[in-house]
Amino acid sequence: MNQLNAPQGTFTLNRYPLRAKDTLRAWDAADEYILQFIAEAQASGEVFQNVLIINDSCGALATALAPMQPVVMSDSFVSHQAIRQNLQSNRPEEAPLHLIDCLQSPADFLPTTGAPADLVILKITKSLAQLEDQLHRIRPLLSENTRVLAAGMVKAIHTSTLDLFGKIIGPTHTSLAKKKARLIHCQPDLSLSPAANPFPKALPLPEHRLDIVNHASVFARDKLDIGTRFFLENMPASDEPKHIIDLGCGNGLLGIAAAGTHPNATFTMVDESFMAVASAEQNFAQNHPDRTTNFQVTDCLTGIADNCADLILNNPPFHQQNTIGDFIAVQMFKDAKRTLKTGGELLVIGNRHLGYHVKLKRLFGNCTTLASNKKFVILRCIKR
């Protein structure tokens, strides 16, 4: 189940973090399609020296193509961990991987400094905003001879996807579908004058007296989502010197609002998205420039000390990349219990139908409803 057979070799790949009875593979048919195409291109004489890989979810591409010494760019801390672990377990002899986040410049890490990229490989995600931002970021790296190769499952590739490539990079066409995956071929047109990158975007919230900026990967970057709005309307208040954690902070809005109702609190803002944490850091500094705040990119609360928090705010995601489920929420709840002080509180917002109260009561031994409406519920647990 976890063995990838590709023209570049056979590799044992795992998703991160490791979960018991995880039946999902660490790669998809789009990864296989890419690796087959690159092997055929090399067999026909193409040589790739400056290689950039974007959105490799678990390291299938980085591991198989490691001899090329690619620069690998991802916004996900979880993906970074998976890439490192899979590369180490399959190719420990390879040179250190150039693994960067989506706010860093790939040009600073390409093997041939100052030269354009020979090959750019981009895995398509669900987010058009993220794709638009990434295409703008890679355009300065391209020459007319750069091979730009994108891939994704057919259900993730739409006319709007291809339009972005055409508007920002150049003429674009797709391959035939194989195993429900498709390749996108794009020829760089250096004469194009695309519009400026619209990211990061400002999101003024005058009703809450806040000004927010969102990078491309941030959830609800264009408007305040209704779940967060409901949480803001029911934000608790206290003058006590609490340590508050915004778990899965996104753009930091919950923590920023809590800073207004907890004037003596210190804050830790945590997310697995580098762009989310960068947005939160900028937003917190803009709205509360004098407050003590720690920002950390990590998986749930990995690396956060036990028994350190008085209050944790949590709006858990229900998917990781393309995988939908409550496994992230459950891990967040477990990490929150470990991190809270005795007597500390966890506040969780979720859609009513998700049934978080069952899991929380089993874990904490208690769970009450702080507020609810027809769609959402805010749950409160206390660490005994």
Side-chain angles (χ1 to χ4, degrees):
M1 182 64 185
N2 61 347
Q3 192 169 79
L4 169 64
N5 296 305
Q8 293 80 7
T10 298
F11 309 101
T12 300
L13 304 173
N14 292 298
R15 295 168 59 83
Y16 177 87
L18 294 174
R19 294 186 175 92
K21 300 179 181 179
D22 190 350
T23 59
L24 298 174
R25 298 191 311 181
W27 70 93
D28 60 20
D31 293 310
E32 295 175 338
Y33 209 162
I34 290 171
L35 295 175
Q36 182 64 45
F37 181 89
I38 291 174
E40 292 172 358
Q42 289 177 312
S44 67
E46 288 194 59
V47 178
F48 305 114
Q49 293 181 325
N50 276 0
V51 179
L52 173 63
I53 300 172
I54 305 172
N55 302 332
D56 188 2
S57 60
C58 294
L61 298 175
T63 300
L65 303 178
M68 294 183 177
Q69 298 185 22
V71 176
V72 183
M73 185 167 74
S74 170
D75 184 53
S76 167
F77 175 88
V78 171
S79 290
H80 280 220
Q81 297 302 102
I83 292 166
R84 287 192 182 96
Q85 292 191 10
N86 283 322
L87 184 66
Q88 177 61 35
S89 62
N90 287 276
R91 293 187 181 271
E93 74 287 352
E94 291 296 335
L97 183 70
H98 299 297
L99 184 58
I100 64 174
D101 66 62
C102 287
L103 293 172
Q104 294 176 282
S105 171
D108 296 335
F109 300 90
L110 289 172
T112 306
T113 305
D118 299 312
L119 172 64
V120 175
I121 302 168
L122 192 152
K123 285 291 297 295
I124 300 297
T125 67
K126 287 185 176 181
S127 172
L128 270 180
Q130 184 181 47
L131 175 62
E132 183 176 5
D133 180 74
Q134 290 173 342
L135 293 178
H136 277 290
R137 290 177 183 273
I138 66 172
R139 182 173 170 79
L141 304 175
L142 308 180
S143 74
E144 292 181 347
N145 297 319
T146 302
R147 182 179 284 282
V148 178
L149 179 67
M153 304 309 291
V154 170
K155 62 183 179 182
I157 299 175
H158 311 284
T159 301
S160 54
T161 309
L162 304 180
D163 285 346
L164 282 178
F165 279 91
K167 291 176 181 178
I168 300 172
I169 305 299
T172 302
H173 69 276
T174 61
S175 70
L176 296 174
K178 292 184 179 180
K179 297 181 180 179
K180 300 182 180 179
R182 196 183 297 277
L183 297 180
I184 298 173
H185 300 276
C186 187
Q187 174 61 48
D189 181 355
L190 303 188
S191 68
L192 278 181
S193 298
N197 189 347
F199 300 100
K201 281 187 175 181
L203 178 63
L205 299 172
E207 68 273 30
H208 296 287
R209 299 180 181 180
L210 297 173
D211 290 310
I212 300 298
V213 172
N214 293 321
H215 283 286
S217 295
V218 175
F219 171 71
R221 66 200 147 266
D222 296 317
K223 63 180 180 180
L224 180 61
D225 75 281
I226 55 177
T228 300
R229 186 183 301 275
F230 184 59
F231 209 151
L232 295 179
E233 292 169 354
N234 293 277
M235 186 64 66
S238 174
D239 291 331
E240 297 179 13
K242 295 183 176 182
H243 175 206
I244 299 175
I245 297 177
D246 186 349
L247 171 55
C249 65
N251 60 17
L253 190 50
L254 292 182
I256 291 166
T261 59
H262 294 76
N264 298 311
T266 58
F267 287 83
T268 296
M269 316 289 281
V270 177
D271 202 289
E272 78 98 25
S273 162
F274 291 90
M275 282 191 166
V277 172
S279 300
E281 187 166 4
Q282 182 175 345
N283 292 331
F284 214 102
Q286 184 168 294
N287 289 280
H288 297 291
D290 301 324
R291 299 299 290 272
T292 301
T293 313
N294 174 52
F295 300 90
Q296 189 160 336
V297 183
T298 188
D299 177 28
C300 296
L301 288 171
T302 300
I304 305 298
D306 296 356
N307 307 309
C308 72
D310 300 286
L311 173 64
I312 296 178
L313 309 172
N314 184 212
N315 183 0
F318 51 85
H319 64 86
Q320 183 182 83
Q321 296 153 7
N322 294 324
T323 305
I324 297 174
D326 64 358
F327 53 91
I328 301 176
V330 171
Q331 187 59 53
M332 284 181 162
F333 301 159
K334 291 178 179 178
D335 283 7
K337 184 179 180 183
R338 171 185 61 79
T339 305
L340 284 169
K341 300 175 183 176
T342 300
E345 301 178 31
L346 168 65
L347 298 184
V348 176
I349 186 168
N351 292 79
R352 297 178 65 96
H353 72 271
L354 293 174
Y356 286 153
H357 64 285
V358 176
K359 296 177 176 63
L360 287 167
K361 189 169 185 178
R362 185 182 302 125
L363 181 63
F364 282 84
N366 65 93
C367 181
T368 58
T369 300
L370 180 68
S372 65
N373 61 19
K374 291 181 179 180
K375 188 172 180 63
F376 296 99
V377 61
I378 301 175
L379 304 172
R380 176 175 179 259
C381 300
I382 300 175
K383 182 177 178 178
R384 305 296 188 187

